[in-house]
Amino acid sequence: MLMELEQKKYLECKTEQSSVGVCRGGLGELFQGISMDEKDEIVIVSSVIPKYSWAYFTPCENGFSSLKDQRLVAPERTKSFRALELYCQLLGVVWPSGYWHFHSDLKVARGMASSTADIVAILRCASSYFNRILPIQHIIQILAQIERSDSVFLDRLALFCSSKHKIINQYPKMKPLYALYMHENSQVETDGTKPLLIDFYRQNYVQYSQLYRQAESALASGDLKSICHVSSKSAELSQEVLPKTHFQNIFRAQKQFKANGIITAHTGSVIGFLYCQQPDINTFESVACFYKELNSYCQYTEIGA
């Protein structure tokens, strides 16, 4: 009933100019480990991809004008509306009256940075509506009050302290990597994983510190093969703490499918092959057949373009 009422009121207001915000998502991480700069903190390199979360706002005097009202019609967007509430407080403005609508290409709880992208999309939409510039620092300030986040709001690959919301380094734009990936069957709950991960990273500090330096060097130079090596090693180490069901099958099949490396969502369901050159249609078909044997489907994207 509430949804029908919202739709009726929205149709009465749709002649108003809508504002839009968008944010890219990610495909797991090219690296995840322990920070060399912050004590007991997690650092990541999110693999930004051309898949997006979208937020739309249509102003209307008779629309929803409070966090409580809006949550009733979009309960799955609790974090997004919390971000909007914090943004309004930051600007010193009242919650805008109107209707919010959302669309996302990103699967939830799969390691595609869907939550961060949703939050950033609504912030960008709100900044457009209020005709304000949205500095990166405001995004980080709001994310820090909500969750451990990804760095998909940046326009380049970055070494990012996800738990401290600190940009350690941003790297020059590079040629794209290509991924043929799949999702394992189960969603992954990431809340509460930090103590488990930090303990594992401490136990394997030497390996992670070496890989951290390799990641810095590879990203700074744009060396795609070295980036693929770092991604593969990071995924392999992660297998010991948050294992993927099909990791060994995919890891062993790299040569068979002429892949340059492996990528995973370290706390998600994404896993797949990385390529420095765009794979041809025969590779697409062969990998798709292979993933079907693992009870999944092949998907394709570019990374870092």
Side-chain angles (χ1 to χ4, degrees):
M1 184 65 183
L2 185 59
M3 292 294 290
E4 292 176 0
L5 180 60
E6 181 201 18
Q7 183 65 18
K8 182 179 179 181
K9 288 184 177 180
Y10 169 70
L11 290 173
E12 295 172 357
C13 300
K14 70 176 184 178
T15 55
E16 297 288 336
Q17 180 66 45
S18 293
S19 299
V20 182
V22 63
C23 182
R24 287 193 293 182
L27 190 75
E29 299 82 27
L30 293 166
F31 170 75
Q32 180 169 306
I34 194 166
S35 174
M36 301 292 107
D37 304 294
E38 300 280 345
K39 182 176 173 59
D40 293 344
E41 298 296 341
I42 295 171
V43 293
I44 60 174
V45 178
S46 296
S47 57
V48 290
I49 61 174
K51 293 181 185 290
Y52 302 89
S53 176
W54 308 78
Y56 303 83
F57 177 70
T58 303
C60 183
E61 290 184 2
N62 297 322
F64 292 106
S65 56
S66 73
L67 176 61
K68 180 180 178 181
D69 288 344
Q70 192 63 67
R71 278 178 173 169
L72 291 175
V73 294
E76 73 284 359
R77 294 283 176 156
T78 299
K79 291 180 179 179
S80 296
F81 290 128
R82 173 58 178 155
L84 178 60
E85 183 179 44
L86 291 169
Y87 183 61
C88 289
Q89 291 173 5
L90 187 65
L91 295 185
V93 297
V94 297
W95 183 284
S97 178
Y99 297 98
W100 291 92
H101 297 91
F102 305 97
H103 172 74
S104 180
D105 305 325
L106 308 167
K107 290 191 175 184
V108 176
R110 298 288 187 170
M112 300 188 77
S114 61
S115 181
T116 300
D118 290 348
I119 289 170
V120 175
I122 200 171
L123 291 177
R124 287 175 173 166
C125 184
S127 72
S128 175
Y129 170 72
F130 289 119
N131 195 27
R132 303 288 186 93
I133 294 172
L134 179 64
I136 292 296
Q137 191 53 44
H138 284 178
I139 294 175
I140 290 175
Q141 182 179 337
I142 290 168
L143 283 169
Q145 298 179 69
I146 299 174
E147 65 176 10
R148 183 167 73 87
S149 68
D150 297 87
S151 60
V152 291
F153 53 87
L154 301 173
D155 63 356
R156 291 179 284 162
L157 294 180
L159 190 61
F160 184 68
C161 184
S162 61
S163 44
K164 281 284 188 178
H165 301 83
K166 177 182 177 181
I167 302 168
I168 298 170
N169 204 350
Q170 292 188 74
Y171 300 98
K173 289 194 174 182
M174 64 180 199
K175 293 180 180 179
L177 286 167
Y178 305 91
L180 292 176
Y181 68 98
M182 56 169 264
H183 288 280
E184 295 196 329
N185 290 330
S186 58
Q187 293 184 337
V188 178
E189 178 54 59
T190 59
D191 291 342
T193 57
K194 181 183 175 182
L196 174 68
L197 292 170
I198 289 295
D199 185 57
F200 178 75
Y201 297 155
R202 280 203 214 101
Q203 293 173 30
N204 297 274
Y205 183 83
V206 173
Q207 291 186 77
Y208 274 106
S209 63
Q210 292 173 348
L211 195 60
Y212 182 103
R213 300 308 177 197
Q214 290 174 25
E216 285 189 311
S217 176
L219 289 162
S221 64
D223 184 336
L224 297 186
K225 287 188 177 180
S226 294
I227 293 170
C228 288
H229 168 76
V230 168
S231 181
S232 299
K233 187 61 180 177
S234 187
E236 186 178 13
L237 286 169
S238 180
Q239 187 66 7
E240 297 181 38
V241 60
L242 291 173
K244 300 281 186 292
T245 303
H246 299 300
F247 178 83
Q248 291 301 330
N249 301 77
I250 293 173
F251 189 81
R252 288 193 296 263
Q254 289 178 83
K255 288 185 179 180
Q256 178 185 348
F257 297 112
K258 301 176 182 178
N260 296 106
I262 297 293
I263 190 164
T264 65
H266 291 62
T267 54
S269 66
V270 167
I271 183 168
F273 298 116
L274 284 177
Y275 295 87
C276 296
Q277 300 291 330
Q278 188 171 24
D280 60 27
I281 196 66
N282 291 329
T283 303
F284 269 68
E285 292 171 349
S286 298
V287 172
C289 286
F290 176 64
Y291 287 167
K292 190 66 175 67
E293 292 172 1
L294 302 178
N295 296 315
S296 192
Y297 294 95
C298 183
Q299 298 182 63
Y300 167 79
T301 193
E302 297 181 7
I303 293 172

